[in-house]
Amino acid sequence: MARFAQYQRNERCGSTGVLCGSLGQRKREPAMTVKNGLVWYWDLDSADAAVVDQHSGLSLSRVGTTTTVTGGAPDGGNCISVGNATGKYRNSSVAKTINYDAGFSVNVWAFSTADSSIGNWLVSHRNDASLLPNNHYFQMVARLFDNTEFGGVAASAGSTYRNAIAGPALAQNQWHMFTLIDDGTTTFFYRNAALAAYSSTALDSRDTGSAAFSLGGESWVASVNAGTNHRGQIAMAGVWSVPLSSESITWLYNGGAGRRYAALTRGGSRRRRYSGRAGL
């Protein structure tokens, strides 16, 4: 846990590059810190499940069958059900607009109703190893392998992976917030704003090309794969071009209610909100 303690001590004040406390400088408020570096987000609260809310130019198409669950989200708002591995949202080719080697964050809420045979995949930005170019960026799953573990993975373009995997299996039929943080050298995985696992395995350099992206299932398969697709509901998913602080993760968790990205980014044009840190 020494590496994690160092990560906490070295959190910086916003984008100033000055270590908090080193010059008597105060940290930014959590809302401002979370807004900084937010590249893509989906509240997943649309009344029409076929039209997932789109932001920052990353368009996702529905694959299979999904439905809107009115009032089913952690905050009492709407969420999306991908059924018993019946649907997901996907883009077959998303450019690497985030420098994953320099640090990034992924956050999503998930409600699992059943196990898939390999694991309930939540967020994925990668191509299969058999595809060229072999772009591996990250993946996050609610339940792994024999459904006794959960975790997040920062992956390279070669054969190396940073697996931040934890156990035992999560309770079904309740909401959990999953957060994958990578600072460029270490991957941290949080469940419900508490650190669950981390890994400092060295990675090969990632490719700079495009890779498939998906919510609710693995990204590299165009159709719904019952063995890997999530079974249950998803809500409030976001991707950042910076590693979030532990305080920001706690703020996003909000005592178990979560926070809507539309409220967080309200005010100003959409272009101005997202152009600041994308494409690092």
Side-chain angles (χ1 to χ4, degrees):
M1 300 297 287
R3 177 69 184 83
F4 173 61
Q6 182 182 11
Y7 169 68
Q8 287 187 308
R9 289 196 301 272
N10 289 343
E11 289 169 2
R12 299 179 183 273
C13 294
S15 59
T16 64
V18 179
L19 293 177
C20 297
S22 61
L23 295 177
Q25 191 168 356
R26 297 179 62 188
K27 281 190 176 182
R28 289 185 176 188
E29 292 299 316
M32 181 62 69
T33 303
V34 169
K35 185 176 178 179
N36 181 41
L38 182 60
V39 179
W40 305 316
Y41 74 80
W42 303 265
D43 279 325
L44 298 169
D45 59 352
S46 174
D48 182 0
V51 185
V52 63
D53 48 319
Q54 309 292 352
H55 303 281
S56 189
L58 178 52
S59 176
L60 301 178
S61 298
R62 180 169 67 171
V63 180
T65 302
T66 64
T67 57
T68 297
V69 181
T70 303
D75 64 348
N78 296 345
C79 64
I80 293 294
S81 171
V82 296
N84 192 23
T86 60
K88 63 182 178 182
Y89 298 93
R90 180 177 185 266
N91 187 313
S92 62
S93 181
V94 177
K96 184 182 177 184
T97 57
I98 300 171
N99 186 349
Y100 291 129
D101 293 317
F104 65 96
S105 305
V106 186
N107 192 75
V108 65
W109 284 83
F111 184 104
S112 298
T113 56
D115 296 333
S116 296
S117 60
I118 299 176
N120 289 22
W121 291 63
L122 299 174
V123 188
S124 174
H125 188 195
R126 57 167 286 189
N127 287 335
D128 186 79
S130 63
L131 301 179
L132 296 176
N134 178 14
N135 298 312
H136 291 174
Y137 298 155
F138 69 76
Q139 56 205 44
M140 188 157 56
V141 294
R143 304 172 77 82
L144 283 175
F145 307 120
D146 57 356
N147 299 306
T148 62
E149 301 173 304
F150 59 93
V153 178
S156 75
S159 59
T160 55
Y161 297 81
R162 270 201 292 268
N163 298 289
I165 306 301
L170 300 176
Q172 293 182 347
N173 299 307
Q174 67 185 57
W175 284 101
H176 298 279
M177 188 183 86
F178 298 100
T179 312
L180 174 65
I181 307 291
D182 193 277
D183 63 6
T185 59
T186 302
T187 296
F188 304 89
F189 190 72
Y190 291 76
R191 180 184 66 87
N192 297 338
L195 181 68
Y198 68 94
S199 170
S200 298
T201 300
L203 296 181
D204 299 332
S205 295
R206 293 180 179 88
D207 287 347
T208 58
S210 299
F213 184 97
S214 70
L215 296 175
E218 86 289 87
S219 55
W220 63 91
V221 178
S223 60
V224 175
N225 184 343
T228 57
N229 211 81
H230 182 57
R231 296 169 185 259
Q233 301 162 19
I234 52 177
M236 294 175 280
V239 180
W240 290 256
S241 60
V242 295
L244 292 174
S245 68
S246 55
E247 287 83 1
S248 295
I249 298 168
T250 299
W251 187 84
L252 281 170
Y253 184 61
N254 193 24
R259 295 186 189 272
R260 295 284 171 171
Y261 294 105
L264 174 67
T265 58
R266 187 172 294 130
S269 69
R270 182 174 295 177
R271 178 178 296 277
R272 292 183 60 190
R273 285 179 213 148
Y274 297 104
S275 61
R277 295 302 297 268
L280 294 182

Short mmCIF file of all heavy atoms in Angstrom, two decimals, residues 84-147:
data_model
loop_
_atom_site.label_atom_id
_atom_site.label_comp_id
_atom_site.label_asym_id
_atom_site.label_seq_id
_atom_site.Cartn_x
_atom_site.Cartn_y
_atom_site.Cartn_z
N ASN A 84 -30.38 -9.56 -19.84
CA ASN A 84 -29.60 -10.74 -19.49
C ASN A 84 -28.60 -11.01 -20.62
O ASN A 84 -28.70 -11.99 -21.35
CB ASN A 84 -30.51 -11.94 -19.26
CG ASN A 84 -29.78 -13.11 -18.62
OD1 ASN A 84 -28.75 -12.92 -17.96
ND2 ASN A 84 -30.30 -14.30 -18.81
N ALA A 85 -27.65 -10.05 -20.77
CA ALA A 85 -26.67 -10.08 -21.87
C ALA A 85 -27.35 -9.97 -23.22
O ALA A 85 -27.06 -10.71 -24.15
CB ALA A 85 -25.80 -11.34 -21.79
N THR A 86 -28.26 -9.01 -23.34
CA THR A 86 -28.99 -8.85 -24.59
C THR A 86 -28.57 -7.63 -25.40
O THR A 86 -28.94 -7.50 -26.57
CB THR A 86 -30.50 -8.75 -24.33
OG1 THR A 86 -30.76 -7.60 -23.49
CG2 THR A 86 -31.02 -10.00 -23.65
N GLY A 87 -27.81 -6.70 -24.81
CA GLY A 87 -27.48 -5.49 -25.55
C GLY A 87 -26.28 -4.76 -24.98
O GLY A 87 -25.81 -5.03 -23.88
N LYS A 88 -25.77 -3.79 -25.78
CA LYS A 88 -24.65 -2.93 -25.38
C LYS A 88 -24.64 -1.73 -26.31
O LYS A 88 -25.46 -1.63 -27.23
CB LYS A 88 -23.32 -3.68 -25.45
CG LYS A 88 -22.92 -4.15 -26.85
CD LYS A 88 -21.61 -4.93 -26.82
CE LYS A 88 -21.23 -5.44 -28.21
NZ LYS A 88 -19.99 -6.24 -28.19
N TYR A 89 -23.70 -0.82 -26.09
CA TYR A 89 -23.51 0.35 -26.95
C TYR A 89 -22.06 0.35 -27.43
O TYR A 89 -21.14 0.13 -26.65
CB TYR A 89 -23.82 1.64 -26.19
CG TYR A 89 -25.26 1.71 -25.72
CD1 TYR A 89 -25.61 1.27 -24.45
CD2 TYR A 89 -26.25 2.17 -26.56
CE1 TYR A 89 -26.93 1.31 -24.02
CE2 TYR A 89 -27.58 2.22 -26.15
CZ TYR A 89 -27.92 1.78 -24.87
OH TYR A 89 -29.22 1.82 -24.46
N ARG A 90 -21.86 0.64 -28.73
CA ARG A 90 -20.53 0.40 -29.30
C ARG A 90 -20.22 1.37 -30.44
O ARG A 90 -21.10 1.81 -31.16
CB ARG A 90 -20.45 -1.03 -29.82
CG ARG A 90 -19.12 -1.43 -30.44
CD ARG A 90 -19.15 -2.90 -30.86
NE ARG A 90 -17.87 -3.37 -31.35
CZ ARG A 90 -17.53 -3.39 -32.64
NH1 ARG A 90 -18.40 -2.97 -33.55
NH2 ARG A 90 -16.35 -3.84 -33.01
N ASN A 91 -18.93 1.69 -30.55
CA ASN A 91 -18.38 2.37 -31.71
C ASN A 91 -17.21 1.53 -32.18
O ASN A 91 -16.30 1.23 -31.39
CB ASN A 91 -17.93 3.80 -31.36
CG ASN A 91 -17.52 4.60 -32.58
OD1 ASN A 91 -16.77 4.13 -33.42
ND2 ASN A 91 -17.97 5.85 -32.64
N SER A 92 -17.20 1.14 -33.44
CA SER A 92 -16.20 0.18 -33.94
C SER A 92 -14.81 0.77 -34.09
O SER A 92 -13.83 0.04 -34.17
CB SER A 92 -16.65 -0.41 -35.28
OG SER A 92 -16.76 0.61 -36.26
N SER A 93 -14.68 2.11 -34.12
CA SER A 93 -13.37 2.71 -34.34
C SER A 93 -13.31 4.08 -33.67
O SER A 93 -13.86 5.06 -34.19
CB SER A 93 -13.08 2.86 -35.83
OG SER A 93 -11.80 3.42 -36.05
N VAL A 94 -12.68 4.14 -32.51
CA VAL A 94 -12.54 5.39 -31.76
C VAL A 94 -11.07 5.74 -31.67
O VAL A 94 -10.25 4.95 -31.19
CB VAL A 94 -13.14 5.25 -30.34
CG1 VAL A 94 -12.92 6.54 -29.54
CG2 VAL A 94 -14.62 4.92 -30.43
N ALA A 95 -10.71 6.93 -32.13
CA ALA A 95 -9.32 7.35 -32.13
C ALA A 95 -8.80 7.50 -30.71
O ALA A 95 -9.55 7.80 -29.77
CB ALA A 95 -9.17 8.67 -32.87
N LYS A 96 -7.51 7.28 -30.55
CA LYS A 96 -6.87 7.41 -29.25
C LYS A 96 -6.66 8.90 -28.97
O LYS A 96 -5.59 9.44 -29.14
CB LYS A 96 -5.55 6.67 -29.24
CG LYS A 96 -4.85 6.67 -27.89
CD LYS A 96 -3.52 5.96 -27.97
CE LYS A 96 -2.78 6.03 -26.64
NZ LYS A 96 -1.45 5.42 -26.71
N THR A 97 -7.73 9.57 -28.54
CA THR A 97 -7.65 10.99 -28.23
C THR A 97 -7.12 11.26 -26.83
O THR A 97 -6.87 12.39 -26.47
CB THR A 97 -9.02 11.65 -28.37
OG1 THR A 97 -9.95 10.97 -27.52
CG2 THR A 97 -9.53 11.55 -29.81
N ILE A 98 -6.99 10.20 -26.04
CA ILE A 98 -6.46 10.32 -24.68
C ILE A 98 -5.09 9.65 -24.65
O ILE A 98 -4.92 8.55 -25.18
CB ILE A 98 -7.39 9.64 -23.67
CG1 ILE A 98 -8.78 10.29 -23.71
CG2 ILE A 98 -6.83 9.70 -22.26
CD1 ILE A 98 -9.81 9.54 -22.91
N ASN A 99 -4.12 10.31 -24.05
CA ASN A 99 -2.80 9.70 -23.91
C ASN A 99 -2.84 8.77 -22.70
O ASN A 99 -2.54 9.16 -21.58
CB ASN A 99 -1.74 10.78 -23.73
CG ASN A 99 -0.33 10.20 -23.71
OD1 ASN A 99 -0.14 9.00 -23.63
ND2 ASN A 99 0.66 11.07 -23.77
N TYR A 100 -3.22 7.52 -22.95
CA TYR A 100 -3.37 6.58 -21.84
C TYR A 100 -2.05 6.29 -21.14
O TYR A 100 -2.04 5.87 -19.98
CB TYR A 100 -3.99 5.27 -22.36
CG TYR A 100 -5.44 5.42 -22.78
CD1 TYR A 100 -5.88 4.98 -24.01
CD2 TYR A 100 -6.36 6.01 -21.93
CE1 TYR A 100 -7.20 5.13 -24.40
CE2 TYR A 100 -7.68 6.15 -22.30
CZ TYR A 100 -8.10 5.71 -23.53
OH TYR A 100 -9.41 5.85 -23.90
N ASP A 101 -0.93 6.52 -21.80
CA ASP A 101 0.36 6.31 -21.15
C ASP A 101 0.66 7.38 -20.12
O ASP A 101 1.50 7.19 -19.24
CB ASP A 101 1.48 6.27 -22.20
CG ASP A 101 1.38 5.06 -23.10
OD1 ASP A 101 1.11 3.96 -22.58
OD2 ASP A 101 1.56 5.21 -24.32
N ALA A 102 -0.01 8.53 -20.21
CA ALA A 102 0.25 9.64 -19.30
C ALA A 102 -0.74 9.68 -18.13
O ALA A 102 -0.59 10.50 -17.23
CB ALA A 102 0.19 10.96 -20.07
N GLY A 103 -1.74 8.81 -18.14
CA GLY A 103 -2.71 8.77 -17.05
C GLY A 103 -4.12 9.03 -17.53
O GLY A 103 -4.35 9.84 -18.43
N PHE A 104 -5.08 8.32 -16.94
CA PHE A 104 -6.48 8.46 -17.32
C PHE A 104 -7.36 7.91 -16.21
O PHE A 104 -6.86 7.31 -15.23
CB PHE A 104 -6.77 7.74 -18.63
CG PHE A 104 -6.62 6.23 -18.55
CD1 PHE A 104 -7.72 5.41 -18.32
CD2 PHE A 104 -5.38 5.65 -18.71
CE1 PHE A 104 -7.58 4.03 -18.24
CE2 PHE A 104 -5.22 4.27 -18.64
CZ PHE A 104 -6.33 3.47 -18.41
N SER A 105 -8.68 8.09 -16.34
CA SER A 105 -9.64 7.57 -15.35
C SER A 105 -10.89 7.11 -16.06
O SER A 105 -11.28 7.68 -17.09
CB SER A 105 -10.01 8.65 -14.33
OG SER A 105 -8.88 9.20 -13.70
N VAL A 106 -11.53 6.09 -15.51
CA VAL A 106 -12.81 5.57 -16.02
C VAL A 106 -13.71 5.32 -14.82
O VAL A 106 -13.26 4.75 -13.81
CB VAL A 106 -12.63 4.26 -16.81
CG1 VAL A 106 -13.95 3.84 -17.44
CG2 VAL A 106 -11.54 4.41 -17.87
N ASN A 107 -14.98 5.73 -14.92
CA ASN A 107 -15.91 5.54 -13.81
C ASN A 107 -17.26 5.09 -14.35
O ASN A 107 -17.73 5.60 -15.36
CB ASN A 107 -16.07 6.85 -13.03
CG ASN A 107 -16.78 6.65 -11.71
OD1 ASN A 107 -16.19 6.14 -10.76
ND2 ASN A 107 -18.03 7.06 -11.63
N VAL A 108 -17.90 4.11 -13.70
CA VAL A 108 -19.20 3.64 -14.14
C VAL A 108 -19.95 3.01 -12.96
O VAL A 108 -19.33 2.44 -12.05
CB VAL A 108 -19.06 2.61 -15.29
CG1 VAL A 108 -18.35 1.35 -14.82
CG2 VAL A 108 -20.41 2.26 -15.91
N TRP A 109 -21.26 3.15 -12.98
CA TRP A 109 -22.12 2.47 -12.01
C TRP A 109 -22.71 1.23 -12.67
O TRP A 109 -23.11 1.27 -13.83
CB TRP A 109 -23.25 3.39 -11.57
CG TRP A 109 -22.81 4.45 -10.60
CD1 TRP A 109 -22.23 5.65 -10.91
CD2 TRP A 109 -22.93 4.41 -9.18
NE1 TRP A 109 -21.96 6.34 -9.76
CE2 TRP A 109 -22.39 5.61 -8.69
CE3 TRP A 109 -23.43 3.47 -8.28
CZ2 TRP A 109 -22.35 5.91 -7.32
CZ3 TRP A 109 -23.39 3.75 -6.92
CH2 TRP A 109 -22.86 4.96 -6.45
N ALA A 110 -22.75 0.12 -11.92
CA ALA A 110 -23.27 -1.13 -12.47
C ALA A 110 -24.11 -1.87 -11.43
O ALA A 110 -23.79 -1.88 -10.24
CB ALA A 110 -22.12 -2.02 -12.94
N PHE A 111 -25.14 -2.51 -11.93
CA PHE A 111 -26.07 -3.32 -11.14
C PHE A 111 -26.12 -4.68 -11.81
O PHE A 111 -26.62 -4.81 -12.93
CB PHE A 111 -27.45 -2.64 -11.14
CG PHE A 111 -28.50 -3.27 -10.29
CD1 PHE A 111 -28.87 -2.73 -9.08
CD2 PHE A 111 -29.17 -4.41 -10.72
CE1 PHE A 111 -29.88 -3.30 -8.30
CE2 PHE A 111 -30.17 -4.99 -9.97
CZ PHE A 111 -30.53 -4.44 -8.75
N SER A 112 -25.57 -5.70 -11.18
CA SER A 112 -25.50 -7.03 -11.78
C SER A 112 -26.66 -7.89 -11.30
O SER A 112 -26.91 -7.99 -10.10
CB SER A 112 -24.18 -7.72 -11.41
OG SER A 112 -23.08 -6.99 -11.92
N THR A 113 -27.34 -8.51 -12.26
CA THR A 113 -28.45 -9.39 -11.92
C THR A 113 -28.10 -10.87 -12.08
O THR A 113 -28.80 -11.73 -11.56
CB THR A 113 -29.67 -9.07 -12.79
OG1 THR A 113 -29.30 -9.18 -14.17
CG2 THR A 113 -30.17 -7.66 -12.51
N ALA A 114 -27.04 -11.15 -12.83
CA ALA A 114 -26.62 -12.54 -13.06
C ALA A 114 -25.18 -12.54 -13.56
O ALA A 114 -24.63 -11.50 -13.92
CB ALA A 114 -27.53 -13.22 -14.08
N ASP A 115 -24.56 -13.71 -13.56
CA ASP A 115 -23.18 -13.85 -14.01
C ASP A 115 -23.11 -14.24 -15.47
O ASP A 115 -23.90 -15.05 -15.94
CB ASP A 115 -22.46 -14.94 -13.21
CG ASP A 115 -22.32 -14.60 -11.74
OD1 ASP A 115 -22.29 -13.40 -11.42
OD2 ASP A 115 -22.24 -15.52 -10.92
N SER A 116 -22.15 -13.65 -16.18
CA SER A 116 -21.79 -14.16 -17.49
C SER A 116 -20.70 -15.20 -17.30
O SER A 116 -20.03 -15.22 -16.27
CB SER A 116 -21.30 -13.02 -18.40
OG SER A 116 -22.32 -12.09 -18.63
N SER A 117 -20.49 -16.03 -18.29
CA SER A 117 -19.55 -17.14 -18.11
C SER A 117 -18.11 -16.69 -17.99
O SER A 117 -17.29 -17.36 -17.34
CB SER A 117 -19.68 -18.13 -19.28
OG SER A 117 -19.40 -17.49 -20.52
N ILE A 118 -17.75 -15.55 -18.60
CA ILE A 118 -16.38 -15.05 -18.53
C ILE A 118 -16.30 -13.82 -17.63
O ILE A 118 -15.36 -13.68 -16.85
CB ILE A 118 -15.85 -14.70 -19.93
CG1 ILE A 118 -15.84 -15.96 -20.80
CG2 ILE A 118 -14.45 -14.11 -19.87
CD1 ILE A 118 -15.44 -15.71 -22.24
N GLY A 119 -17.27 -12.95 -17.68
CA GLY A 119 -17.26 -11.77 -16.83
C GLY A 119 -18.18 -10.70 -17.38
O GLY A 119 -18.39 -10.59 -18.58
N ASN A 120 -18.77 -9.94 -16.48
CA ASN A 120 -19.70 -8.89 -16.89
C ASN A 120 -18.91 -7.64 -17.27
O ASN A 120 -18.56 -6.83 -16.42
CB ASN A 120 -20.67 -8.57 -15.74
CG ASN A 120 -21.66 -9.67 -15.50
OD1 ASN A 120 -21.43 -10.82 -15.87
ND2 ASN A 120 -22.77 -9.35 -14.86
N TRP A 121 -18.65 -7.46 -18.57
CA TRP A 121 -17.84 -6.34 -19.05
C TRP A 121 -18.66 -5.06 -19.03
O TRP A 121 -19.79 -5.02 -19.51
CB TRP A 121 -17.34 -6.63 -20.47
CG TRP A 121 -16.33 -7.73 -20.51
CD1 TRP A 121 -16.51 -9.04 -20.17
CD2 TRP A 121 -14.96 -7.63 -20.92
NE1 TRP A 121 -15.35 -9.75 -20.33
CE2 TRP A 121 -14.39 -8.91 -20.80
CE3 TRP A 121 -14.18 -6.57 -21.38
CZ2 TRP A 121 -13.06 -9.15 -21.12
CZ3 TRP A 121 -12.86 -6.82 -21.71
CH2 TRP A 121 -12.31 -8.10 -21.57
N LEU A 122 -18.04 -3.99 -18.51
CA LEU A 122 -18.74 -2.72 -18.35
C LEU A 122 -18.29 -1.67 -19.35
O LEU A 122 -19.10 -1.09 -20.06
CB LEU A 122 -18.53 -2.20 -16.92
CG LEU A 122 -19.05 -3.10 -15.81
CD1 LEU A 122 -18.65 -2.55 -14.46
CD2 LEU A 122 -20.55 -3.26 -15.91
N VAL A 123 -17.00 -1.36 -19.37
CA VAL A 123 -16.44 -0.36 -20.27
C VAL A 123 -15.19 -0.95 -20.90
O VAL A 123 -14.35 -1.53 -20.22
CB VAL A 123 -16.07 0.94 -19.53
CG1 VAL A 123 -15.66 2.03 -20.52
CG2 VAL A 123 -17.22 1.42 -18.66
N SER A 124 -15.05 -0.78 -22.21
CA SER A 124 -13.91 -1.38 -22.91
C SER A 124 -13.49 -0.50 -24.08
O SER A 124 -14.34 -0.05 -24.85
CB SER A 124 -14.28 -2.79 -23.40
OG SER A 124 -13.25 -3.35 -24.19
N HIS A 125 -12.19 -0.25 -24.20
CA HIS A 125 -11.64 0.46 -25.35
C HIS A 125 -10.42 -0.32 -25.82
O HIS A 125 -9.31 -0.08 -25.36
CB HIS A 125 -11.26 1.89 -24.98
CG HIS A 125 -10.86 2.73 -26.18
ND1 HIS A 125 -10.20 3.91 -26.05
CD2 HIS A 125 -11.05 2.54 -27.52
CE1 HIS A 125 -9.98 4.43 -27.26
NE2 HIS A 125 -10.49 3.62 -28.16
N ARG A 126 -10.64 -1.27 -26.69
CA ARG A 126 -9.56 -2.12 -27.16
C ARG A 126 -10.02 -2.94 -28.36
O ARG A 126 -11.22 -3.09 -28.59
CB ARG A 126 -9.08 -3.07 -26.05
CG ARG A 126 -10.16 -3.96 -25.48
CD ARG A 126 -9.61 -5.08 -24.63
NE ARG A 126 -9.00 -6.11 -25.45
CZ ARG A 126 -8.59 -7.30 -24.98
NH1 ARG A 126 -8.69 -7.55 -23.70
NH2 ARG A 126 -8.07 -8.20 -25.78
N ASN A 127 -9.07 -3.47 -29.09
CA ASN A 127 -9.32 -4.45 -30.13
C ASN A 127 -8.84 -5.81 -29.65
O ASN A 127 -7.98 -5.90 -28.77
CB ASN A 127 -8.59 -4.09 -31.43
CG ASN A 127 -9.22 -2.91 -32.14
OD1 ASN A 127 -10.40 -2.64 -31.97
ND2 ASN A 127 -8.43 -2.21 -32.92
N ASP A 128 -9.39 -6.85 -30.22
CA ASP A 128 -8.95 -8.19 -29.87
C ASP A 128 -7.50 -8.39 -30.31
O ASP A 128 -7.03 -7.80 -31.28
CB ASP A 128 -9.84 -9.22 -30.55
CG ASP A 128 -9.51 -10.63 -30.10
OD1 ASP A 128 -9.94 -11.01 -29.02
OD2 ASP A 128 -8.82 -11.31 -30.85
N ALA A 129 -6.79 -9.24 -29.60
CA ALA A 129 -5.37 -9.48 -29.89
C ALA A 129 -5.15 -10.02 -31.29
O ALA A 129 -4.06 -9.86 -31.86
CB ALA A 129 -4.78 -10.45 -28.86
N SER A 130 -6.17 -10.64 -31.88
CA SER A 130 -6.00 -11.21 -33.21
C SER A 130 -6.18 -10.17 -34.31
O SER A 130 -5.94 -10.45 -35.48
CB SER A 130 -7.02 -12.34 -33.42
OG SER A 130 -8.35 -11.83 -33.36
N LEU A 131 -6.62 -8.96 -33.94
CA LEU A 131 -6.84 -7.90 -34.92
C LEU A 131 -5.61 -7.01 -35.05
O LEU A 131 -4.84 -6.86 -34.11
CB LEU A 131 -8.04 -7.04 -34.51
CG LEU A 131 -9.38 -7.78 -34.37
CD1 LEU A 131 -10.45 -6.80 -33.95
CD2 LEU A 131 -9.77 -8.44 -35.69
N LEU A 132 -5.43 -6.44 -36.21
CA LEU A 132 -4.32 -5.52 -36.45
C LEU A 132 -4.88 -4.15 -36.85
O LEU A 132 -5.77 -4.08 -37.69
CB LEU A 132 -3.40 -6.05 -37.55
CG LEU A 132 -2.67 -7.37 -37.23
CD1 LEU A 132 -1.87 -7.84 -38.44
CD2 LEU A 132 -1.76 -7.20 -36.02
N PRO A 133 -4.36 -3.05 -36.27
CA PRO A 133 -3.34 -3.04 -35.22
C PRO A 133 -3.90 -3.55 -33.89
O PRO A 133 -5.09 -3.44 -33.63
CB PRO A 133 -2.96 -1.57 -35.11
CG PRO A 133 -4.21 -0.84 -35.52
CD PRO A 133 -4.82 -1.68 -36.61
N ASN A 134 -3.04 -4.08 -33.09
CA ASN A 134 -3.42 -4.69 -31.82
C ASN A 134 -3.46 -3.60 -30.74
O ASN A 134 -2.53 -3.44 -29.97
CB ASN A 134 -2.41 -5.79 -31.47
CG ASN A 134 -2.70 -6.44 -30.15
OD1 ASN A 134 -3.79 -6.28 -29.61
ND2 ASN A 134 -1.75 -7.16 -29.62
N ASN A 135 -4.53 -2.84 -30.72
CA ASN A 135 -4.64 -1.71 -29.78
C ASN A 135 -5.32 -2.15 -28.49
O ASN A 135 -6.50 -2.48 -28.49
CB ASN A 135 -5.47 -0.59 -30.41
CG ASN A 135 -4.83 -0.04 -31.66
OD1 ASN A 135 -3.65 0.26 -31.65
ND2 ASN A 135 -5.60 0.09 -32.73
N HIS A 136 -4.61 -2.13 -27.41
CA HIS A 136 -5.17 -2.44 -26.10
C HIS A 136 -5.03 -1.20 -25.22
O HIS A 136 -3.91 -0.81 -24.89
CB HIS A 136 -4.42 -3.60 -25.43
CG HIS A 136 -4.63 -4.92 -26.11
ND1 HIS A 136 -3.95 -6.05 -25.75
CD2 HIS A 136 -5.45 -5.29 -27.11
CE1 HIS A 136 -4.33 -7.06 -26.51
NE2 HIS A 136 -5.24 -6.63 -27.34
N TYR A 137 -6.14 -0.62 -24.82
CA TYR A 137 -6.07 0.58 -24.00
C TYR A 137 -6.54 0.31 -22.57
O TYR A 137 -5.80 0.46 -21.63
CB TYR A 137 -6.89 1.69 -24.64
CG TYR A 137 -6.39 2.11 -26.01
CD1 TYR A 137 -7.23 2.68 -26.94
CD2 TYR A 137 -5.06 1.90 -26.37
CE1 TYR A 137 -6.77 3.05 -28.20
CE2 TYR A 137 -4.59 2.27 -27.62
CZ TYR A 137 -5.44 2.84 -28.53
OH TYR A 137 -4.99 3.21 -29.77
N PHE A 138 -7.81 -0.06 -22.39
CA PHE A 138 -8.26 -0.42 -21.04
C PHE A 138 -9.53 -1.25 -21.14
O PHE A 138 -10.20 -1.30 -22.17
CB PHE A 138 -8.51 0.82 -20.17
CG PHE A 138 -9.69 1.65 -20.60
CD1 PHE A 138 -10.99 1.25 -20.33
CD2 PHE A 138 -9.51 2.84 -21.27
CE1 PHE A 138 -12.08 2.01 -20.72
CE2 PHE A 138 -10.59 3.61 -21.67
CZ PHE A 138 -11.86 3.19 -21.39
N GLN A 139 -9.87 -1.90 -20.04
CA GLN A 139 -11.11 -2.65 -19.94
C GLN A 139 -11.49 -2.73 -18.46
O GLN A 139 -10.63 -2.71 -17.59
CB GLN A 139 -10.96 -4.06 -20.53
CG GLN A 139 -9.83 -4.87 -19.89
CD GLN A 139 -9.29 -5.94 -20.81
OE1 GLN A 139 -9.06 -5.71 -21.99
NE2 GLN A 139 -9.06 -7.13 -20.27
N MET A 140 -12.79 -2.81 -18.17
CA MET A 140 -13.25 -2.86 -16.79
C MET A 140 -14.44 -3.81 -16.71
O MET A 140 -15.36 -3.72 -17.52
CB MET A 140 -13.64 -1.47 -16.30
CG MET A 140 -13.96 -1.41 -14.82
SD MET A 140 -13.76 0.26 -14.13
CE MET A 140 -14.83 1.23 -15.19
N VAL A 141 -14.41 -4.70 -15.76
CA VAL A 141 -15.46 -5.71 -15.64
C VAL A 141 -15.95 -5.82 -14.21
O VAL A 141 -15.21 -5.60 -13.25
CB VAL A 141 -14.95 -7.10 -16.12
CG1 VAL A 141 -14.66 -7.08 -17.60
CG2 VAL A 141 -13.73 -7.53 -15.34
N ALA A 142 -17.23 -6.17 -14.07
CA ALA A 142 -17.84 -6.30 -12.75
C ALA A 142 -17.55 -7.66 -12.12
O ALA A 142 -17.43 -7.78 -10.91
CB ALA A 142 -19.35 -6.10 -12.85
N ARG A 143 -17.45 -8.71 -12.98
CA ARG A 143 -17.21 -10.05 -12.45
C ARG A 143 -16.29 -10.77 -13.42
O ARG A 143 -16.48 -10.74 -14.63
CB ARG A 143 -18.53 -10.80 -12.25
CG ARG A 143 -19.50 -10.05 -11.37
CD ARG A 143 -20.87 -10.72 -11.36
NE ARG A 143 -20.90 -11.89 -10.52
CZ ARG A 143 -21.06 -11.86 -9.20
NH1 ARG A 143 -21.15 -10.72 -8.58
NH2 ARG A 143 -21.12 -12.97 -8.51
N LEU A 144 -15.28 -11.46 -12.90
CA LEU A 144 -14.25 -12.05 -13.74
C LEU A 144 -14.18 -13.56 -13.60
O LEU A 144 -14.52 -14.11 -12.54
CB LEU A 144 -12.88 -11.48 -13.37
CG LEU A 144 -12.53 -10.07 -13.86
CD1 LEU A 144 -11.20 -9.65 -13.28
CD2 LEU A 144 -12.48 -10.05 -15.37
N PHE A 145 -13.67 -14.19 -14.66
CA PHE A 145 -13.27 -15.60 -14.63
C PHE A 145 -14.39 -16.48 -14.09
O PHE A 145 -15.42 -16.65 -14.71
CB PHE A 145 -11.97 -15.76 -13.85
CG PHE A 145 -10.88 -14.86 -14.36
CD1 PHE A 145 -10.29 -13.92 -13.55
CD2 PHE A 145 -10.48 -14.92 -15.69
CE1 PHE A 145 -9.32 -13.07 -14.04
CE2 PHE A 145 -9.49 -14.08 -16.19
CZ PHE A 145 -8.91 -13.16 -15.35
N ASP A 146 -14.23 -17.03 -12.88
CA ASP A 146 -15.27 -17.89 -12.32
C ASP A 146 -16.24 -17.07 -11.47
O ASP A 146 -16.88 -17.59 -10.57
CB ASP A 146 -14.65 -19.02 -11.48
CG ASP A 146 -13.75 -18.48 -10.37
OD1 ASP A 146 -13.55 -17.25 -10.31
OD2 ASP A 146 -13.27 -19.29 -9.57
N ASN A 147 -16.32 -15.76 -11.78
CA ASN A 147 -17.24 -14.85 -11.09
C ASN A 147 -16.95 -14.71 -9.61
O ASN A 147 -17.83 -14.48 -8.80
CB ASN A 147 -18.69 -15.29 -11.32
CG ASN A 147 -19.06 -15.26 -12.79
OD1 ASN A 147 -18.90 -14.24 -13.44
ND2 ASN A 147 -19.51 -16.38 -13.30
#
